[in-house]
Amino acid sequence: MAANMYRVGDYVYFENSSSNPYLIRRIEELNKTANGNVEAKVVCFYRRRDISNSLIMLADKHAKEVEEESETTIEVDLTDKQKHQLKHRELFLSRQYESLPATHIRGKCSVALLNETESVLSYLEKEDTFFYSLVYDPSLKTLLADKGEIRVGPRYQADVPDMLAEGELDDREQAKLEVKVWDPDSPLTDRQIDQFLVVARAVGTFARALDCSSSVRQPSLHMSAAAASRDITLFHAMDTLHKHNYDLSSAISVLVPLGGPVLCRDEMEEWSASEASLFEEALEKYGKDFNDIRQDFLPWKSLTSIIEYYYMWKTTDRYVQQKRLKAAEAESKLKQVYIPTYNKPNPNQISSNNGKPAAVNGAMGASYQAQAPLIGRACESCYTPQSHQWYSWGPPNMQCRLCASCWIYWKKYGGLKMPTQTDDDKLSSSQPTEESHVRTHMSRQATQGTPVRNTGSPKSAVKTRQAFFLHTTCWTKLARQVCKNTLRLRQAARRPFVPINCAAIKAEYADRHCELAGNPLKIKSTRKPLSCIIGYLG
């Protein structure tokens, strides 16, 4: 029962498609609609597969910089499989909100800000655990470091200098040191100090009555007196008293110079009503993200001014009224909702427990029959030939399938358990997607080569996402020269979904092997090594 209760603040899986991975969201609100359904207002998290390759490269660069700056090694010695699966656990926070039906929730998960002091293996050891360190803006297509980063570690600690001995010379720069602004051991009593502060507030009230702009903003005497009683007036009075060595007569004369009484105004008085409305609107959108508030709503204000205004605004009646209004709205919202476990059969299932194939809808929406070639086909992820349940995956004409455990992994983490990229492909920061894995499998069957994205070629920048070249093996090159009658590679490339008759190729090779036994073929390498290409490009 507790596992099916979902509350505000929970990280959950949402299913928007039977064949795509789950969406990962954080519940912000649970609202009941007019027709009785429950909708969840959620914060969106994005996976690596959801953003462009250029941003993924930027994210990897940021991770390297963080690791280099850290005194402790974040990236421990991981296997290729662990590195591959760790990418499935990385998310990108966004400021985007959306409303989704609560009935599409498929379970809970955990998302945390990347902790530099914790081993990355801890995220792999726990099920349904993800991490994030960057914020993704889907409209601007940008990645930024999360401003909520908790700086933990020895490099963020202050260096406290040793205490100077009595009579020791101080070689520090005096202008950068703190200045004493108040002496608690002054000759004045508390009563005398309070009387001086009353005089300062009275002078402030009189100064506002004489000032035209202040009289417009505080039309009544009560409002002027309240504004004169704020901290800015008291700070000025105490600072004046300290500068005049706590001489009351000298300090009072400074409060009212020849030009008129001194007027001290803080941010609450300096801001206009329209600026205050803009600030409240920005605070509703961004929260306490003062940099974004200044950039998008109040660029003519300094960051210090905005922060000071925020803490003064929290002491006003308007803030109290808004807080009460939000509390009343929260009372009308749902605190939690019960969503039963989703147990309907997935339309991607292609066989039942007894292993008999059935007619189903494919992963891409087309219908086909799970025929004989599919029965003995291994899982595309873990390559196991047996499973109590199979799921169709990839384009229907490829008839690829995943076992039950790999299908659950695909739905939760958005990738396959086993890495399918080669060492050259790992240089590319792009994450293997469903389409790229199917193309890899197709190319491997067609030519028994190793598919690699052409990351070293200048032309690759203008190619589509589906473009790749085949880095063929020696056996494939040998088969091209020996089996010219059977292996017509150009015709096969034009019809990529038609399987190649490997048995005929083997038979022709066996027939010609005896002829070429005394005169072995020499395999010429037509592709230059990558080092030569890099040297040529400079």
Side-chain angles (χ1 to χ4, degrees), residues 337-357:
V337 62
Y338 175 80
I339 304 296
T341 304
Y342 186 81
N343 54 10
K344 294 183 180 179
N346 192 291
N348 291 79
Q349 292 182 5
I350 56 178
S351 62
S352 59
N353 290 337
N354 56 12
K356 295 181 180 180

Side-chain angles (χ1 to χ4, degrees), residues 137-200:
D137 190 333
S139 58
L140 300 178
K141 308 295 182 184
T142 58
L143 276 180
L144 298 173
D146 183 47
K147 298 180 179 62
E149 178 183 4
I150 301 175
R151 297 187 171 185
V152 179
R155 67 182 185 279
Y156 296 119
Q157 303 303 315
D159 295 327
V160 180
D162 296 333
M163 185 174 179
L164 296 176
E166 187 175 355
E168 185 179 355
L169 295 177
D170 189 358
D171 57 352
R172 296 174 294 178
E173 188 176 349
Q174 298 298 319
K176 295 183 179 180
L177 301 181
E178 293 81 0
V179 179
K180 187 177 182 180
V181 296
W182 183 257
D183 187 3
D185 299 326
S186 65
L188 298 178
T189 63
D190 292 344
R191 178 178 174 80
Q192 290 175 313
I193 295 174
D194 292 338
Q195 289 174 341
F196 179 77
L197 295 180
V198 170
V199 173

Side-chain angles (χ1 to χ4, degrees), residues 3 7 39 104 157 160 171 210 231 243 248 259 278 284 336 366 470 487 515:
R7 300 173 177 83
E39 282 192 350
H104 288 191
Q157 303 303 315
V160 180
D171 57 352
L210 297 178
D231 290 342
K243 287 181 178 178
L248 289 177
L278 281 175
E284 184 70 23
Q336 59 185 8
L470 289 175
L487 182 58
E515 302 175 8

Side-chain angles (χ1 to χ4, degrees), residues 297-485:
F297 284 85
L298 298 163
W300 59 89
K301 294 287 187 181
S302 67
L303 190 61
T304 303
S305 174
I306 294 175
I307 295 174
E308 287 183 5
Y309 179 82
Y310 167 75
Y311 286 103
M312 293 178 183
W313 172 78
K314 290 185 69 174
T315 63
T316 61
D317 291 337
R318 187 173 179 85
Y319 169 77
V320 176
Q321 292 173 4
Q322 286 192 2
K323 196 172 182 181
R324 289 174 181 171
L325 183 61
K326 288 184 177 180
E329 292 178 354
E331 287 295 328
S332 63
K333 297 181 184 298
L334 298 177
K335 298 294 188 299
Q336 59 185 8
V337 62
Y338 175 80
I339 304 296
T341 304
Y342 186 81
N343 54 10
K344 294 183 180 179
N346 192 291
N348 291 79
Q349 292 182 5
I350 56 178
S351 62
S352 59
N353 290 337
N354 56 12
K356 295 181 180 180
V360 295
N361 290 328
M364 300 304 176
S367 298
Y368 66 99
Q369 288 282 345
Q371 297 175 353
L374 190 61
I375 296 177
R377 193 160 190 160
C379 173
E380 296 295 322
S381 177
C382 64
Y383 312 117
T384 180
Q386 296 179 352
S387 176
H388 71 278
Q389 180 64 60
W390 293 98
Y391 295 84
S392 61
W393 181 81
N397 49 10
M398 289 301 300
Q399 294 191 358
C400 299
R401 65 179 185 174
L402 296 177
C403 65
S405 61
C406 291
W407 175 258
I408 295 174
Y409 186 93
W410 157 256
K411 293 290 287 184
K412 287 185 175 181
Y413 305 114
L416 301 183
K417 288 183 178 180
M418 302 297 293
T420 58
Q421 296 171 300
T422 61
D423 293 336
D424 292 336
D425 200 15
K426 289 172 187 175
L427 298 176
S428 170
S429 299
S430 59
Q431 181 70 8
T433 61
E434 180 178 355
E435 293 81 5
S436 65
H437 180 83
V438 171
R439 292 198 310 274
T440 300
H441 183 84
M442 176 189 69
S443 305
R444 188 174 293 154
Q445 277 197 335
T447 60
Q448 295 298 314
T450 306
V452 182
R453 289 190 190 91
N454 192 358
T455 56
S457 172
K459 295 182 180 180
S460 63
V462 297
K463 289 184 178 181
T464 62
R465 188 179 181 182
Q466 286 76 19
F468 64 92
F469 75 91
L470 289 175
H471 192 163
T472 55
T473 63
C474 295
W475 290 110
T476 306
K477 295 178 181 179
L478 188 63
R480 286 180 181 176
Q481 299 185 45
V482 175
C483 308
K484 295 182 179 180
N485 296 328

Side-chain angles (χ1 to χ4, degrees), residues 29-33 37-41 99 332-334:
E29 295 178 5
L30 291 170
N31 302 314
K32 195 170 184 179
T33 61
N37 297 328
V38 178
E39 282 192 350
K41 181 182 177 182
S99 294
S332 63
K333 297 181 184 298
L334 298 177

Side-chain angles (χ1 to χ4, degrees), residues 33 82 100 141 234 247 256 280 285 292 304 311 318 439 475 511:
T33 61
Q82 289 173 331
L100 297 172
K141 308 295 182 184
L234 302 181
D247 184 357
V256 188
E280 291 176 0
K285 181 177 181 181
D292 288 346
T304 303
Y311 286 103
R318 187 173 179 85
R439 292 198 310 274
W475 290 110
D511 293 339

